[in-house]
């Protein structure tokens, strides 16, 4: 496998096999025959990507024309899609974020740093469904570039 194309194909194939849950299928082979017959059907097995698609699929975008020193987004209401409140910073600079549970307080829960162009980061954990909240952002300095964030809850 000296060619880059062959290596890329091998890596892609291995990643696809891991994503389909091949190790989990092998572990289920020791189950009784009736269960083993059902577990080999890949179409009826668990969807490994379902939690990711369900939680982040309903993400909401907040946009501030000028990042300034920060701002607030919301109000939002938690849903059954996610157990946590997650934020993704799509800005060219880092910012801090916190959650304000507006039915209980006007204060932040705690500050979480979101680096520039970050992935999803949890800013509040194990939040019940139906809780009203806002997300507050704070930057280190005044930012002329827009502040763009996505919220999944």
């Amino acid at each position: 496998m000296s060619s880059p194309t062959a290596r890329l194909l091998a890596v892609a194939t291995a990643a696809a096999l891991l994503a389909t849950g091949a190790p989990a299928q092998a572990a289920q082979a020791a189950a009784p025959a009736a269960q083993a017959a059902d577990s080999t059907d890949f179409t009826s097995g668990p969807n490994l990507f379902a939690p990711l698609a369900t939680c982040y699929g309903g993400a909401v975008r907040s946009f501030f024309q000028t990042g300034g020193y920060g701002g607030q987004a919301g109000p939002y209401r938690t849903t059954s899609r996610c157990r946590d409140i997650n934020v993704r910073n799509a800005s060219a600079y880092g910012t801090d974020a916190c959650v304000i549970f507006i039915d209980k307080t006007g204060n932040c829960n705690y500050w979480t740093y979101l680096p520039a162009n970050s992935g999803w980061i949890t800013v509040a954990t194990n939040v019940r469904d139906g809780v009203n909240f806002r997300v507050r952002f704070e930057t280190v300095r005044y930012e002329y570039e827009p502040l763009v964030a996505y919220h999944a809850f």
Side-chain angles (χ1 to χ4, degrees), residues 38-56:
D38 291 338
S39 66
T40 57
D41 179 12
F42 291 106
T43 59
S44 65
N47 182 350
L48 299 176
F49 299 105
L52 181 69
T54 320
C55 184
Y56 301 134

Side-chain angles (χ1 to χ4, degrees), residues 53-116:
T54 320
C55 184
Y56 301 134
V60 177
R61 178 180 181 247
S62 62
F63 179 82
F64 301 91
Q65 184 67 35
T66 301
Y69 287 106
Q72 290 190 66
Y76 303 116
R77 186 180 196 99
T78 57
T79 64
S80 60
R81 281 192 311 267
C82 303
R83 291 183 56 201
D84 303 327
I85 299 173
N86 303 284
V87 179
R88 183 173 69 88
N89 179 13
S91 304
Y93 51 88
T95 186
D96 290 313
C98 72
V99 175
I100 303 168
F101 298 104
I102 56 179
D103 293 338
K104 301 288 182 186
T105 184
N107 298 325
C108 287
N109 59 343
Y110 51 84
W111 289 100
T112 303
Y113 179 71
L114 306 172

